[in-house]
Amino acid sequence: MAENTKQKVKGRFAPTPSGRMHLGNLMCALLAWLSAKSQGGSMVLRIEDLDRERSLEKYRTLLIEDLDWLGLSFEEGPGENGPCAPYDQSRRYPIYEQDYRRLLPRIYPCFCSRAALHAASAPHLSDGRVLYSGVCRTLTEQQRKERMRLRAPAYRIAVEDTVIGFTDGVQGWYQASLAQECGDFIVRRADGVLAYQLAVVLDDARMGITQVVRGRDLLSSTPQQIWLYQLLGFSVPEFYHIPLLTDPEGKRLSKRDLDLDLGILRQTYRPQQLTGMLGYLCGQLPMPQPITPAELAQRFDWAKVPRQDIALPRSLLSDLSKL
Ligand SMILES: [Zn+2]
């Protein structure tokens, strides 16, 4: 393909403002940014605030500040900044509705309680997820009407019996049977909130995202998302599922690990030190050394990013404990 007809790379970082960013979130933002920038592309900052109860304005403000502090700039988003505005999910409902309507022939209400879904008799997958039995798919209109009076349903999409595979930029080939490993999945929750699985596809497609960089924990939900892309006639982006950060014992970090949130990290490190630390952990530098994201982008190479989860060195944690 000639260079001038090649699609321009557009990446994105899409955090949920439900807490201060931690080191793992920052690593994801940095890798997405480095990938796009090293290929001459642009970046979108999208705020995933569909869950209004968990999302707080103060965290939205802080995450924008923290990204800016590290030196990550975004060509589009958040808020109204760019041609695909708004970039905050809570304000995109009118846009979602158009695509949601196109899926309606496959969507049905599910009245199952949480307890029923997780009953011991439900088929469990090897990773602990529960496969939905499809029991509500065959309810008659009359049965649906009766149950509607008792409880607000969630809405599921009926999947096809097909296998979806793709080559992940970090993890390699991955495939799953939609019917046997995903099952009919929820596209709208009982409280009316659009499910993450659907919103993320609609946003990435409508914002013209060409590469998605996110945590390895989302790898198993990618086949169903690719299927949604195909169903709606969207072109499928490239996926890069990156390793997760763990503590030195291999336990995954979470937002509860407050000692690694940006509020604390910013008291100890300068942005270039933190970038160098992350660059080292991601295989881009032989040892931690101060560097800017723009400098790191010049030498960025996906082939050097490890597939396996990354354990934080004890020295990093002991630096922080001296505070
Ligand atoms: Zn059901």
Side-chain angles (χ1 to χ4, degrees):
M1 208 188 294
E3 196 56 35
N4 58 359
T5 59
K6 215 169 138 186
Q7 192 179 22
K8 198 167 181 293
V9 168
K10 197 179 195 183
R12 48 74 151 184
F13 179 57
T16 298
S18 60
R20 190 85 186 249
M21 283 205 298
H22 61 66
L23 198 57
N25 305 130
L26 198 64
M27 186 175 90
C28 186
L30 180 64
L31 285 176
W33 192 92
L34 291 172
S35 178
K37 294 293 163 176
S38 66
Q39 297 168 68
S42 63
M43 276 295 286
V44 169
L45 176 57
R46 180 170 74 233
I47 307 296
E48 300 209 330
D49 58 352
L50 278 181
D51 196 329
R52 300 304 290 157
E53 279 170 26
R54 286 176 59 222
S55 302
L56 294 179
E57 186 62 32
K58 71 168 180 178
Y59 291 127
R60 182 184 185 280
T61 305
L62 281 170
L63 74 87
I64 293 166
E65 259 181 47
D66 287 340
L67 292 166
D68 188 54
W69 172 84
L70 196 74
L72 302 182
S73 55
F74 293 83
E75 282 70 25
E76 295 179 42
E80 293 297 317
N81 175 37
C84 306
Y87 292 87
D88 292 24
Q89 285 190 325
S90 59
R91 293 168 54 206
R92 292 183 64 79
Y93 270 90
I95 302 168
Y96 295 145
E97 285 305 322
Q98 299 167 23
D99 290 320
Y100 189 81
R101 250 179 267 141
R102 295 200 284 142
L103 297 172
L104 279 178
R106 286 189 162 272
I107 290 175
Y108 63 89
C110 169
F111 301 91
C112 297
S113 66
R114 215 182 141 71
L117 291 172
H118 290 85
S121 58
H124 283 66
L125 300 171
S126 56
D127 62 358
R129 286 179 302 145
V130 176
L131 188 67
Y132 180 62
S133 67
V135 62
C136 295
R137 199 201 270 214
T138 53
L139 293 178
T140 63
E141 272 312 306
Q142 186 58 32
Q143 287 170 316
R144 281 176 185 165
K145 268 185 204 147
E146 283 163 13
R147 287 174 201 212
M148 284 288 187
R149 280 189 222 114
L150 300 173
R151 68 185 296 162
Y155 288 86
R156 291 183 185 269
I157 188 159
V159 300
E160 288 165 282
D161 189 1
T162 181
V163 173
I164 303 270
F166 70 103
T167 301
D168 186 81
V170 181
Q171 306 297 330
W173 179 254
Y174 184 83
Q175 67 175 45
S177 154
L178 287 186
Q180 284 150 43
E181 293 170 83
C182 302
D184 295 351
F185 57 93
I186 290 178
V187 288
R188 192 184 282 275
R189 302 187 335 202
D191 60 5
V193 173
L194 211 65
Y196 167 79
Q197 301 289 359
L198 179 57
V200 74
V201 167
L202 299 183
D203 285 336
D204 284 336
R206 293 294 180 192
M207 291 176 183
I209 302 300
T210 68
Q211 56 176 238
V212 172
V213 177
R214 59 189 183 189
R216 195 176 62 77
D217 50 328
L218 291 168
L219 182 66
S220 64
S221 62
T222 307
Q224 63 209 54
Q225 291 175 15
I226 289 176
W227 177 70
L228 287 174
Y229 275 95
Q230 293 170 348
L231 205 58
L232 289 162
F234 295 135
S235 54
V236 180
E238 295 178 300
F239 289 95
Y240 296 85
H241 285 90
I242 63 172
L244 305 175
L245 284 183
T246 71
D247 67 12
E249 281 74 43
K251 189 173 75 63
R252 190 183 165 185
L253 299 177
S254 74
K255 279 187 177 159
R256 288 183 295 278
D257 294 305
L258 292 179
D259 49 342
L260 287 172
D261 84 16
L262 266 286
I264 299 292
L265 290 167
R266 283 176 61 170
Q267 291 177 40
T268 320
Y269 295 100
R270 287 180 294 113
Q272 300 188 7
Q273 288 176 306
L274 201 54
T275 303
M277 170 67 72
L278 289 170
Y280 163 71
L281 292 174
C282 294
Q284 306 300 309
L285 293 171
M287 59 182 67
Q289 64 186 73
I291 192 167
T292 65
E295 287 162 350
L296 199 52
Q298 290 171 19
R299 56 194 294 167
F300 181 71
D301 182 1
W302 269 118
K304 292 181 179 166
V305 175
R307 280 178 67 181
Q308 305 300 327
D309 288 349
I310 299 170
L312 285 174
R314 282 182 200 282
S315 58
L316 174 84
L317 299 174
S318 70
D319 281 356
L320 293 168
S321 66
K322 286 183 200 126
L323 277 178

